[in-house]
């Protein structure tokens, strides 16, 4: 097919054609990490949409002479481009291919439709939170609408501002889209394969909350916060928060809705010891595969199955102070694993 590939077939070298998120998920599958199946829509699909709808010139005109600090002008440009894109049809050739790939996943299966911009999950930059993800999408028409809305988010005010700061606003942006089988999440969250505050590489920092991750992303819930040793799996810090709302699938079968968390779960920890250990094991495997610290999005479904739905490099880790040379080999090994060596006479 001209515009899509199964996620399992993608590798890092495919990032320029399918975007960072899709390429990373393909690598995770290669590493044997549990990732929901699905397919990736290529940058060529977006380019076909822009070409057939005649949007390229309008976008170029709207972006002319924008400066990073002029939020009013950026907002106006974003609105003009976004409105034009929302009323443009998805090309029939793209729509047909989406339909074939979606049908192959299952009968009217709920999926997550995620933006996968080129360059978004590199070690030099991250567009996290700037472009859209749509959860619990059912039916080919709704999937196509969600794909178009992902394309529109390339021109959101935050995304335009970020590209202006990077000096890339004048360049034509490129976006692929990830379409994944939806995880019916009982618990979801993120974890860093280092302490993101101190830079300590011997720790895994885990945030967790009930339901889908929308409540945390939207700032409606403060998640449980854990710091866990990679070496011993010991929880060295734990802050359990009151989690009053969660997002669950809409009873109508499409989209997600916010509901109150039952009183008995609001102040309860989301993760038991076994779940924490499973997360740490996956964090170590993902970090080992990519060779750098990772920011990982994960979910446990209602049967307790763990899935990783995204992983990206951690782009801003504090530098730890340089340490004195180790006194002996034991000290070197223990320091490598983040353990304070005993005093050596």
């Amino acid at each position: 097919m001209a515009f899509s590939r199964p996620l399992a077939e993608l590798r890092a070298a495919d990032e320029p054609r399918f975007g960072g998120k899709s390429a990373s998920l393909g690598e995770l599958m290669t590493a044997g990490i549990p990732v929901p199946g699905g397919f990736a829509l290529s940058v060529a699909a977006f380019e076909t949409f822009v070409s057939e709808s005649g949007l390229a010139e309008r976008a170029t005109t709207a972006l002319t002479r924008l400066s990073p600090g002029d939020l009013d002008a950026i907002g106006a440009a974003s609105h003009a481009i976004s409105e034009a894109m929302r009323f443009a049809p998805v090309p029939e050739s793209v729509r047909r291919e989406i339909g074939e790939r979606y049908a192959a996943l299952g009968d009217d299966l709920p999926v997550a439709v995620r933006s996968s911009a080129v360059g978004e999950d590199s070690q030099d930059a991250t567009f996290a939170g700037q472009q859209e993800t749509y959860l619990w999408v059912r039916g080919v028409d709704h999937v196509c609408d969600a794909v178009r809305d992902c394309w529109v988010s390339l021109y959101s005010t935050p995304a335009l501002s970020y590209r202006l700061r990077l000096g890339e606003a004048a360049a034509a942006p490129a976006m692929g889209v990830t379409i994944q089988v939806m995880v019916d999440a009982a618990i979801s969250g993120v974890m860093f394969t280092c302490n993101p505050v101190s830079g300590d590489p011997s720790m895994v920092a885990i945030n967790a909350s009930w339901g889908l991750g929308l409540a945390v992303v939207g700032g409606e819930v403060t998640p449980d916060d854990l710091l866990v040793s990679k070496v011993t799996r010991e929880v060295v810090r734990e802050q359990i928060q009151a989690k009053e709302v969660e997002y669950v699938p809409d009873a109508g079968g499409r989209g997600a809705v916010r509901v109150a968390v039952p009183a008995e779960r609001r102040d309860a920890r989301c993760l038991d010891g076994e779940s924490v250990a499973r997360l740490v094991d996956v964090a170590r495997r993902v970090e080992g595969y990519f060779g750098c610290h990772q920011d990982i999005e994960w979910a446990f479904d209602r049967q307790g199955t763990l899935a990783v739905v995204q992983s990206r490099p951690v782009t801003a880790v504090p530098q730890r102070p340089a340490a004195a040379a180790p006194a002996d080999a034991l000290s070197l090994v223990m320091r490598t694993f983040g353990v304070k060596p005993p005093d050596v006479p």
Side-chain angles (χ1 to χ4, degrees):
M1 295 186 184
F3 299 112
S4 63
R5 295 254 299 277
L7 287 174
E9 294 182 4
L10 296 183
R11 301 294 181 268
D14 295 305
E15 191 270 345
R17 289 171 291 170
F18 288 90
K21 189 178 284 90
S22 294
S24 174
L25 289 169
E27 290 285 359
L28 288 169
M29 289 176 162
T30 299
I33 304 299
V35 172
F39 63 96
L41 204 60
S42 69
V43 169
F46 170 71
E47 292 172 340
T48 300
F49 168 70
V50 170
S51 173
E52 291 193 9
S53 59
L55 291 167
E57 184 176 349
R58 181 174 297 193
T60 300
T61 300
L63 296 176
T64 301
R65 294 186 296 276
L66 287 181
S67 61
D70 192 346
L71 295 181
D72 289 340
I74 295 171
S78 171
H79 179 75
I81 299 169
S82 299
E83 286 302 296
M85 292 179 73
R86 285 193 180 95
F87 286 100
V90 174
E92 183 55 37
S93 56
V94 176
R95 178 180 290 271
R96 182 169 54 250
E97 192 162 325
I98 291 172
E100 292 175 10
R101 292 286 190 193
Y102 176 67
L105 294 178
D107 184 20
D108 207 29
L109 204 65
V111 294
V113 182
R114 306 176 185 274
S115 302
S116 180
V118 173
E120 75 171 325
D121 288 338
S122 68
Q123 295 195 50
D124 302 315
T126 178
F127 302 150
Q130 297 176 21
Q131 289 149 3
E132 291 296 341
T133 288
Y134 298 92
L135 303 181
W136 222 266
V137 182
R138 282 183 186 268
V140 65
D141 289 340
H142 292 283
V143 172
C144 288
D145 288 345
V147 165
R148 180 173 52 204
D149 287 342
C150 285
W151 292 337
V152 170
S153 69
L154 266 177
Y155 294 95
S156 70
T157 298
L160 284 177
S161 297
Y162 186 65
R163 292 205 298 275
L164 282 164
R165 290 197 299 272
L166 293 178
E168 298 177 357
M175 179 182 280
V177 179
T178 304
I179 294 93
Q180 276 183 293
V181 175
M182 191 68 217
V183 178
D184 186 5
I187 309 164
S188 61
V190 299
M191 58 182 170
F192 296 84
T193 63
C194 63
N195 184 331
V197 176
S198 69
D200 185 348
S202 71
M203 296 292 162
V204 177
I206 301 173
N207 287 166
S209 191
W210 301 118
L212 301 168
L214 295 172
V216 175
V217 172
E220 300 170 82
V221 165
T222 301
D224 292 349
D225 182 35
L226 293 81
L227 197 61
V228 188
S229 168
K230 282 181 188 171
V231 183
T232 66
R233 275 50 168 196
E234 176 189 6
V235 177
V236 300
R237 188 192 72 209
E238 182 179 49
Q239 295 177 327
I240 305 303
Q241 307 289 347
K243 301 166 289 293
E244 296 185 352
V245 299
E246 64 179 324
Y247 280 83
V248 299
D250 188 289
R254 289 189 173 89
V257 293
R258 190 178 82 160
V259 298
V261 173
E264 65 271 17
R265 285 200 287 124
R266 289 179 187 174
D267 298 316
R269 60 172 48 85
C270 291
L271 299 170
D272 59 20
E274 179 186 353
S275 298
V276 170
R278 291 166 66 187
L279 286 170
V280 172
D281 285 342
V282 166
R284 288 170 58 101
R285 290 168 59 195
V286 173
E287 182 180 61
Y289 183 80
F290 285 111
C292 63
H293 296 314
Q294 294 287 304
D295 170 2
I296 302 165
E297 295 184 21
W298 54 268
F300 284 104
D301 71 14
R302 298 187 187 279
Q303 286 71 50
T305 302
L306 172 61
V308 171
V309 297
Q310 184 173 338
S311 187
R312 63 170 72 88
V314 177
T315 56
V317 179
Q319 296 297 312
R320 306 184 77 197
D328 57 15
L330 175 61
S331 298
L332 174 60
V333 171
M334 296 182 75
R335 178 178 296 170
T336 299
F337 286 97
V339 179
K340 182 179 178 181
D343 293 334
V344 178

